Amino acid sequence: MHEDVERCVRAVRSRDTRFDGWFFTAVLTTGIYCRPSCPVMAPKPENMSFYPSAAAAQQAGFRACKRCRPDAVPGSPEWNERADLAARAMRLIKDGIVDREGTAGLAARLGYSLRQIERQLRVEVGAGPAALARAQRAQAARLLIETTALPMADVAFMSGFSSVRAFNDTVRAVFGLSPTGLRSRGRAADVTGVVSLRLPFRAPLCPDDLFGHLVASSVPGVEEWRSGAYRRTLRLPHGHGVAELRPADASYIQCTLALSDLRDLTTAINRCRRLLDLDADPVAIDELLGRDPVMGPLVRGKPGLRIPQTVDGEEFSIRALLGQQASMAAARTHAARLVAAHGVPVTDSGGGLTHVFPAPAALAGLNPAALALPQEHRASVFALIGSLASGDIDLGAGSDWRDARTELESLPGVEPGTVETIALRALGDPDAFPATDPGIRRAAGELSLPTAPAALIHRAADWRPWRGYAAQHLWSAGDRPITHDVITALQATVPSPASPSAFRCRPARSDAGRSEPIRP
């Protein structure tokens, strides 16, 4: 989009928040780059240039605006919607792979030469993998500088820099301030290892079903709903953590992370964003689905509905298969037993979380008889665990969606609906559609849609490429118990001064009198 100068100029002049993250505006006269919605008066069009990423703007020599903080906007939805090489690379970079394994590690994970990846990313986002990782390190450094009292040397290494000098140079180049000057603008926390931050998103967002779905399917010890917040443990590259997520207002989710190793900060943030689907573009999704005569009323009743995804694709796939042909309560019970027996114990000073969900390698040697499941079902679960532990199936951030589907379909006893559910929530494919899911078929019947899977898939063709969001609307159609308790809790525990109405799913307000909206 950054190449369409006219549309970019219109978005900047209207300060349209929907375009934050889609492109970045650099001001030639000041040497600063901003998000499109920056409240500072827009410069003349001839003094603006546009970049597809913050890294591209930084590489061109521009500093981040201190007013609008363009390094802290929602990510581009493209990288979660697409399955090509550039999108897979961007997801891996966001997950911190370059910091942990270098650009050579990124190439090895993707199965392409580094030269091919470099060329593709420069075409798509205007910067190579090293520059993109550097921009991400700068954002992590800013969070640690502003929200903790850690020594600057510790901040440098925990945010991924190889030296204090590189850290100092990058902070000055990106933010126009020294690390000490940046800290004076923030509020350092007293507790080392705990970071509080805001996770921005594109409005609207419907938190009721999003948090309700996560809580209704939560595994005791790994997840909980406490005092108006969804809390869960995280298995991270350098250790473990606890994330606390709560709706805060109409523009962000409040996130508190307690990490055993602060080097995992960027990875933990991006996994929480992925869990809540915060980089989605609800305007584009609702616009397409809203045209459908059946889906339209559902969309208008719950604008901004998100897909509850996952922080760990391997964990979710095991849980999904445990729940195949079982009730949600039974699936939770089976998962809780695995966690209690084989999960990694954690200490949670702020709640009742006890374990991190076990990695496939920890379950690979388990006696199948330990699972109280029918023999064929046990065989399916352990076939999946074995394939995950051996690396035959990759459900990570940079996985190839088509290959993952093929491998899952080849496992004995794994049903098509389970494969599509894993593709939707573990892989993040927004067009996955579990047509055989009983909840979706029940809702389809109530809405006079076809209930036979083949016929429903044919009807769902009108909802592409957002069939996953259509599935979420079908799951949440009507007054289902999956969200009732959480909706009530959300409305009862909204922190002052925000009002409960800010968190409820509401029909979109009329835009009468406004000019026609600009679409990304």
Side-chain angles (χ1 to χ4, degrees):
M1 179 185 173
H2 69 286
E3 295 178 345
D4 190 334
V5 174
E6 183 179 348
R7 279 205 299 169
C8 289
V9 169
R10 288 170 59 199
V12 171
R13 284 179 169 172
S14 61
R15 297 183 175 87
D16 197 328
T17 58
R18 293 172 299 169
F19 289 86
D20 288 350
W22 277 105
F23 70 89
F24 295 83
T25 306
V27 184
L28 303 178
T29 52
T30 63
I32 291 172
Y33 75 93
C34 304
R35 60 173 80 189
S37 64
C38 182
V40 178
M41 185 177 295
K44 296 178 180 178
E46 59 267 26
N47 291 330
M48 288 189 253
S49 60
F50 304 102
Y51 293 90
S53 66
Q58 292 171 18
Q59 196 163 265
F62 293 94
R63 302 189 313 275
C65 175
K66 297 172 186 174
R67 177 85 177 269
C68 70
R69 299 165 72 124
D71 55 317
V73 298
S76 172
E78 280 192 281
W79 316 126
N80 293 330
E81 295 165 7
R82 289 164 43 179
D84 58 12
L85 174 61
R88 292 170 60 201
M90 289 296 290
R91 290 195 289 270
L92 279 171
I93 293 169
K94 286 172 65 176
D95 202 50
I97 195 68
V98 173
D99 291 337
R100 296 193 298 273
E101 301 179 18
T103 54
L106 173 67
R109 292 290 187 104
L110 294 171
Y112 287 84
S113 72
L114 182 56
R115 183 177 179 181
Q116 286 176 293
I117 296 169
E118 182 99 22
R119 182 170 60 247
Q120 188 71 23
L121 286 176
R122 286 189 179 279
V123 170
E124 294 284 350
V125 295
L132 291 163
R134 176 179 179 264
Q136 186 162 267
R137 285 194 292 272
Q139 164 68 349
R142 183 175 65 79
L143 282 172
L144 290 174
I145 290 169
E146 293 183 346
T147 63
T148 75
L150 289 167
M152 292 301 179
D154 291 347
V155 171
F157 293 111
M158 288 177 178
S159 53
F161 289 95
S162 58
S163 70
V164 174
R165 180 176 180 178
F167 161 73
N168 288 330
D169 291 346
T170 298
V171 169
R172 286 193 178 94
V174 173
F175 303 111
L177 288 169
S178 68
T180 304
L182 200 57
R183 173 160 285 174
S184 67
R185 295 168 57 91
R187 296 180 180 177
D190 294 328
V191 183
T192 300
V194 177
V195 180
S196 294
L197 60 144
R198 297 177 175 184
L199 303 181
F201 56 80
R202 292 177 182 83
L205 178 139
C206 180
D208 303 346
D209 288 273
L210 176 60
F211 284 89
H213 199 124
L214 292 170
V215 174
S217 60
S218 62
V219 175
V222 175
E223 302 163 282
E224 68 174 357
W225 176 259
R226 181 181 292 267
S227 302
Y230 167 77
R231 306 177 75 250
R232 69 151 296 146
T233 57
L234 306 172
R235 176 158 53 95
L236 297 164
H238 297 104
H240 61 265
V242 172
E244 181 176 292
L245 302 163
R246 70 175 71 240
D249 70 3
S251 61
Y252 67 89
I253 299 292
Q254 185 66 41
C255 173
T256 301
L257 294 169
L259 305 175
S260 63
D261 192 320
L262 283 171
R263 288 178 295 174
D264 288 322
L265 177 65
T266 298
T267 301
I269 291 171
N270 283 312
R271 290 186 183 180
C272 289
R273 294 192 62 81
R274 182 184 181 198
L275 173 70
L276 301 181
D277 196 18
L278 297 185
D279 290 328
D281 183 358
V283 174
I285 296 164
D286 290 359
E287 183 180 45
L288 184 144
L289 295 180
R291 300 189 200 119
D292 186 272
V294 174
M295 199 59 58
L298 301 181
V299 171
R300 288 187 287 275
K302 293 182 177 178
L305 197 69
R306 299 301 210 274
I307 297 171
Q309 296 187 24
T310 184
V311 295
D312 188 322
E314 294 176 339
E315 173 193 318
F316 180 82
S317 65
I318 294 171
R319 290 169 57 173
L321 197 51
L322 285 172
Q324 183 173 275
Q325 295 184 341
S327 67
M328 186 177 292
R332 295 178 67 206
T333 298
H334 291 309
R337 288 172 180 167
L338 276 183
V339 167
H342 305 282
V344 178
V346 298
T347 300
D348 176 24
S349 59
L353 303 179
T354 60
H355 290 83
V356 175
F357 196 91
L363 300 174
L366 181 65
N367 183 351
L371 284 180
L373 296 171
Q375 185 174 351
E376 291 185 359
H377 196 172
R378 284 204 306 263
S380 299
V381 172
F382 279 94
L384 172 63
I385 290 172
S387 295
L388 292 171
S390 65
D392 292 338
I393 296 180
D394 178 13
L395 301 179
S399 61
D400 184 302
W401 295 348
R402 184 168 52 185
D403 288 350
R405 269 191 172 94
T406 300
E407 293 294 337
L408 288 167
E409 290 166 352
S410 69
L411 296 176
V414 180
E415 298 177 352
T418 303
V419 173
E420 287 301 293
T421 300
I422 293 172
L424 181 64
R425 295 189 58 190
L427 299 177
D429 181 357
D431 201 40
F433 189 70
T436 61
D437 180 87
I440 286 181
R441 295 179 67 187
R442 180 173 60 248
E446 293 172 358
L447 294 168
S448 300
L449 292 168
T451 56
L456 184 56
I457 289 173
H458 179 75
R459 174 64 175 82
D462 294 340
W463 305 330
R464 305 194 76 164
W466 310 118
R467 292 185 303 174
Y469 292 91
Q472 195 63 34
H473 275 289
L474 293 174
W475 268 321
S476 65
D479 185 18
R480 302 195 184 280
I482 189 171
T483 59
H484 182 269
D485 292 343
V486 173
I487 291 172
T488 302
L490 273 171
Q491 295 172 1
T493 60
V494 174
S496 180
S499 66
S501 63
F503 302 97
R504 301 190 193 118
C505 295
R506 296 168 295 168
R509 290 179 295 182
S510 170
D511 287 326
R514 293 180 57 186
S515 59
E516 181 181 354
I518 313 163
R519 303 295 180 202

